[in-house]
Amino acid sequence: MIETSLIMQILELLVYLFIFALGLSILALIVIYIIDVNQTKQAIRRNYPVVGRFRYWFEEMGVFFRQYFFAMDREELPFNRADRSWVYRAAKNLSNTTAFGSTRDLRTTGTVLFANCPYPTLGEDASPASEVTIGPGCARPYTTSSLFNISGMSYGALSTPAVLALSNGARMAGCWMNTGEGGLSPFHLQGGADIVFQIGTAKYGVRDEAGNLSDEKLRETAAHAQVKMFEIKLSQGAKPGKGGILPGTKVTAEIASIRGIKQGEDSISPNRHPELNSEDDLLDMIARVREVTGKPVGIKAVIGAYGWVDSLCLAIKERGIDSAPDFITIDSADGGTGAAPMSLIDYMGLPIRESLPLVVDILTAHDLKQRIKINCSGKLITPAEAAWALCVGADFVVSARGFMFSLGCIQALQCDKNTCPTGITTHNKRLQQGLNVDEKAERVKNYAKNMAYEIGVIAHSCGVPEPRKLKRFHARIVTESGMSKPLDQIYSEISIVEQLISARTTDTKNQ
Ligand SMILES: Cc1cc2nc3c(=O)[nH]c(=O)nc-3n(C[C@H](O)[C@H](O)[C@H](O)COP(=O)(O)O)c2cc1C
Ligand code: SF4
């Protein structure tokens, strides 16, 4: 009897609670209704009070629904699921073989295909990627065989554990890591990888108090044996011609000391190096950095207008071949960044498919291709993409977002919001905790090694003993007719170099 009355009491309480909750909900709906019809900021909410709010919620959640449920494997942008999955599996050292057949449509225009050889390279004839020496004329040239390396991402854009995992992983894989424009942090050095120090437009890490390039700081930076090369950044694919402000609130004591700026004060990155107005200025800066540091010096740029590459080559010829940049890093218009305006990210510059062959051809026409090594980046995150770049004429491939995927990036596209769910691009300590440095360093290493291995597999299938022997005729592109053509034919038809030389001749005649 006592038990029954207790149950009745609980039921009664639940009924009251239910009625109370219902009443509260109705009251909340009435309040929301009144707020919505009286507000003037959003027409949808004014015209469709209460239900109109779902639109904004669905819009936000749609991103996740599309990624997880609706987008096909090869549909998503910037990176589709098939490519991301390849990186995730490579990073975990899981098998990347697929069954039954390709889900890639081989008929669409622009599809890259490789020309397999009837007599592929036998295992015993295969050789590791050959060594390349960058800046042979420098006091301390850099020699490496690493094909696939980590592209510039600043400490600041990346969290401490992300930088640590990348630098440890790069050391274990034997590849280099670029600092990005935010200076050299202790975490870059701690991991023990070879470092490329990037000189951005604010010269973070190598500037004097007025923000000018400092020889003393350059010397200090070059004194680290790990720092192998310097890269002067002219532009990057996602935001050519765009500088930036680092708000004072983000300039902590640590960031201030790494970058050489004042703690708590806004720091402005100009939208270009103010002292560089011509190819001659650029060659002067390259000569200065090389002289002071004794190490190879290159430039990074996204190509848009390309006459300057031709002029640069002419200026080099005039000064002598030693004056050349030791390498050029070509970034694609669809490169990544922490944050950039949509008008630049979506519209400015040429994609790597167009710019890489163009620069290779200009350097070749000036007989500078051997002297100036070519790095390239822009969504080259799978072996096939990287092998395409080697066929076109690149000496090295670098990637930023490929390595972010190896760290566990889920393409949540919140890199600029300090809410990165994987701890890669956030300073929130709680979120950073999710990123285990040792575990992720291992993944970075696996990814770099599996990339190099599988680029080799493509090379062997094409019949060459190692990836650096790949040539343009080894890759083909499906054209509008549905038939594919080899790269050497496609680019000789376009013959940009002939156009440049003829434009120059016309200029001279008109003078
Ligand atoms: C988070 C983030 C930060 C970056 N920071 C820099 C930078 O400091 N300097 C730079 O030259 N490029 C920077 N980049 C561009 C990359 O180095 C690279 O050129 C570009 O993302 C293309 O390579 P990917 O397609 O493999 O990512 C950044 C990219 C990302 C995603
Ligand atoms: S998980 Fe999202 S926010 Fe984090 S790095 Fe990747 S894209 Fe950026």
Side-chain angles (χ1 to χ4, degrees):
M1 274 312 279
I2 297 172
E3 263 180 29
T4 320
S5 93
L6 187 67
I7 290 171
M8 289 307 291
Q9 275 177 7
I10 292 173
L11 278 177
E12 206 173 316
L13 186 71
L14 285 177
V15 170
Y16 284 133
L17 275 177
F18 177 73
I19 292 171
F20 178 71
L22 196 68
L24 211 62
S25 308
I26 291 171
L27 195 69
L29 285 178
I30 293 169
V31 172
I32 293 172
Y33 180 93
I34 294 169
I35 292 174
D36 283 359
V37 287
N38 287 303
Q39 60 83 37
T40 50
K41 286 203 174 109
Q42 289 167 327
I44 296 281
R45 277 168 61 205
R46 203 168 156 85
N47 290 342
Y48 303 94
V50 185
V51 285
R53 283 174 180 255
F54 284 104
R55 189 207 177 281
Y56 302 99
W57 187 70
F58 286 146
E59 199 179 23
E60 211 176 306
M61 297 312 289
V63 177
F64 303 105
F65 278 98
R66 281 192 296 276
Q67 188 182 59
Y68 289 116
F69 301 119
F70 303 119
M72 303 297 283
D73 275 359
R74 299 194 182 262
E75 243 177 32
E76 265 175 292
L77 287 168
F79 293 90
N80 64 43
R81 194 184 295 128
D83 288 348
R84 279 187 290 125
S85 298
W86 190 90
V87 179
Y88 296 144
R89 296 184 71 77
K92 290 176 190 160
N93 232 352
L94 297 174
S95 158
N96 246 324
T97 53
T98 35
F100 201 63
S102 177
T103 58
R104 182 171 178 244
D105 185 353
L106 304 184
R107 297 161 302 180
T108 32
T109 310
T111 299
V112 172
L113 305 167
F114 293 97
N116 64 299
C117 175
Y119 316 107
T121 307
L122 289 171
E124 61 258 38
D125 297 330
S127 52
S130 50
E131 287 191 333
V132 175
T133 298
I134 309 171
C138 297
R140 278 166 289 178
Y142 179 50
T143 300
T144 179
S145 60
S146 175
L147 291 167
F148 186 64
N149 303 281
I150 306 179
S151 191
M153 288 177 281
S154 312
Y155 172 65
L158 295 186
S159 65
T160 305
V163 172
L164 275 173
L166 286 173
S167 57
N168 276 288
R171 171 184 43 79
M172 292 190 280
C175 69
W176 80 63
M177 173 184 189
N178 188 309
T179 59
E181 59 191 314
L184 179 67
S185 76
F187 314 109
H188 289 106
L189 294 170
Q190 214 171 307
D194 286 356
I195 303 284
V196 178
F197 182 95
Q198 188 176 78
I199 306 176
T201 56
K203 281 117 182 147
Y204 287 133
V206 286
R207 55 190 260 144
D208 61 17
E209 287 210 347
N212 299 314
L213 191 61
S214 152
D215 286 354
E216 193 190 328
K217 290 280 168 53
L218 277 173
R219 247 177 245 114
E220 273 172 28
T221 309
H224 294 284
Q226 260 174 270
V227 174
K228 301 291 183 191
M229 305 198 282
F230 287 79
E231 179 180 79
I232 300 169
K233 177 179 145 180
L234 298 181
S235 54
Q236 82 182 71
K239 48 174 186 176
K242 175 88 174 70
I245 290 191
L246 186 66
T249 45
K250 287 194 173 172
V251 186
T252 57
E254 186 193 41
I255 293 278
S257 105
I258 292 169
R259 297 196 177 195
I261 51 179
K262 291 215 170 80
Q263 185 183 348
E265 285 184 16
D266 289 356
S267 174
I268 295 169
S269 293
N271 62 343
R272 71 173 166 103
H273 291 277
E275 69 276 43
L276 298 186
N277 290 300
S278 64
E279 284 75 59
D280 274 321
D281 292 342
L282 180 57
L283 290 178
D284 287 345
M285 184 166 171
I286 292 168
R288 175 178 166 193
V289 178
R290 192 161 38 210
E291 174 67 29
V292 173
T293 63
K295 297 190 174 177
V297 180
I299 55 175
K300 171 170 178 172
V302 54
I303 307 297
Y306 47 81
W308 70 273
V309 185
D310 183 50
S311 311
L312 182 69
C313 292
L314 292 173
I316 293 166
K317 289 283 194 60
E318 219 162 85
R319 289 184 182 211
I321 197 162
D322 285 345
S323 68
D326 297 303
F327 63 91
I328 298 182
T329 304
I330 308 162
D331 198 15
S332 183
D334 51 8
T337 178
M342 198 167 160
S343 38
L344 295 185
I345 220 167
D346 282 352
Y347 293 95
M348 197 59 73
L350 299 179
I352 199 73
R353 281 273 184 104
E354 203 171 333
S355 54
L356 177 61
L358 203 141
V359 175
V360 169
D361 286 353
I362 296 175
L363 295 190
T364 308
H366 287 281
D367 209 11
L368 287 170
K369 175 69 182 66
Q370 277 306 312
R371 167 71 183 90
I372 305 173
K373 300 303 173 205
I374 294 195
N375 306 334
C376 62
S377 56
K379 299 172 89 169
L380 308 173
I381 68 164
T382 59
E385 298 285 357
W388 166 85
L390 295 173
C391 288
V392 174
D395 296 286
F396 302 95
V397 176
V398 292
S399 175
R401 288 169 293 177
F403 281 98
M404 288 168 95
F405 290 134
S406 77
L407 288 176
C409 164
I410 57 166
Q411 195 163 269
L413 310 182
Q414 298 170 19
C415 313
D416 56 340
K417 297 196 172 68
N418 206 25
T419 52
C420 170
T422 55
I424 300 171
T425 54
T426 176
H427 298 288
N428 180 322
K429 293 274 179 240
R430 187 187 69 78
L431 294 170
Q432 285 185 5
Q433 268 176 18
L435 200 163
N436 180 285
V437 173
D438 294 339
E439 171 70 21
K440 300 298 180 188
E442 196 64 27
R443 293 201 186 173
V444 169
K445 177 198 80 177
N446 291 340
Y447 173 48
K449 289 203 158 225
N450 281 319
M451 273 292 281
Y453 171 78
E454 215 157 299
I455 296 169
V457 170
I458 293 174
H460 303 156
S461 190
C462 289
V464 292
E466 62 113 343
R468 287 205 166 88
K469 296 258 182 307
L470 285 168
K471 297 281 176 267
R472 288 195 180 176
F473 55 78
H474 288 123
R476 305 172 67 91
I477 291 187
V478 176
T479 62
E480 277 167 13
S481 69
M483 305 298 279
S484 69
K485 276 190 182 175
L487 296 185
D488 54 333
Q489 243 181 58
I490 291 179
Y491 296 120
S492 76
E493 278 166 17
I494 297 169
S495 187
I496 201 69
V497 177
E498 274 167 31
Q499 286 174 35
L500 276 170
I501 291 170
S502 108
R504 237 189 287 132
T505 323
T506 321
D507 279 357
T508 327
K509 277 189 199 148
N510 291 342
Q511 275 166 10

